[in-house]
């Protein structure tokens, strides 16, 4: 991932949010979160409300550490517990890390 930041890079990352490949969308989301784009929280919220949730979304949530993401993260955790999907320890670890980061910023 490129660590630089300018309008062209942000434009490319925003375009990547709608790419047909999931890995590109995840990288774009994380790139925008790392750059603290003003709309990053909204885009992570959209991702967390999607039908299929992947651990890469949690990395972006953890980076942002925004309390606005906490309700959706907790909903996903409750759903995972109810559906016994906690067998994927990496997924659950990423989710727990995102919850901790967002919970720490309740100010």
């Amino acid at each position: 991932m490129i660590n630089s930041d300018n309008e062209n890079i942000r434009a490319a990352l925003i375009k990547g949010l709608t790419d047909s490949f999931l890995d590109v969308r995840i990288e774009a989301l994380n790139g925008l979160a790392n750059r603290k784009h003003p709309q990053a929280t909204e885009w992570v919220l959209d991702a967390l409300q999607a039908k299929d949730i992947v651990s890469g979304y949690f990395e972006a949530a953890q980076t942002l550490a925004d309390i606005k993401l906490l309700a959706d993260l907790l909903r996903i955790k409750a759903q995972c517990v109810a559906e016994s999907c906690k067998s994927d320890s990496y997924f659950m670890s990423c989710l727990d890390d995102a919850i901790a980061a967002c919970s720490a910023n309740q100010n």
Side-chain angles (χ1 to χ4, degrees):
M1 179 187 296
I2 297 172
N3 291 324
S4 312
D5 191 16
N6 62 46
E7 288 183 32
N8 291 333
I9 290 171
R10 286 182 180 227
L13 289 169
I14 291 168
K15 184 178 178 184
L17 292 173
T18 58
D19 196 274
S20 60
F21 291 99
L22 177 61
D23 288 345
V24 173
R25 294 192 306 271
I26 292 169
E27 285 296 321
L29 189 62
N30 280 293
L32 291 161
N34 286 327
R35 288 164 178 81
K36 306 295 187 208
H37 189 286
Q39 290 179 274
T41 296
E42 293 174 43
W43 291 321
V44 173
L45 280 170
D46 289 345
L48 294 175
Q49 294 169 6
K51 180 182 174 206
D52 296 315
I53 308 295
V54 295
S55 59
Y57 299 159
F58 304 144
E59 182 181 337
Q62 182 180 0
T63 298
L64 292 170
D66 190 327
I67 188 68
K68 295 174 191 169
L69 302 171
L70 188 58
D72 279 312
L73 293 167
L74 292 172
R75 174 190 52 78
I76 294 165
K77 173 103 181 206
Q79 186 177 354
C80 281
V81 170
E83 295 176 5
S84 298
C85 67
K86 57 186 177 180
S87 61
D88 183 345
S89 61
Y90 180 74
F91 181 91
M92 293 305 291
S93 175
C94 292
L95 177 55
D96 288 339
D97 290 346
I99 289 170
C102 292
S103 296
N105 283 329
Q106 292 190 32
N107 302 339

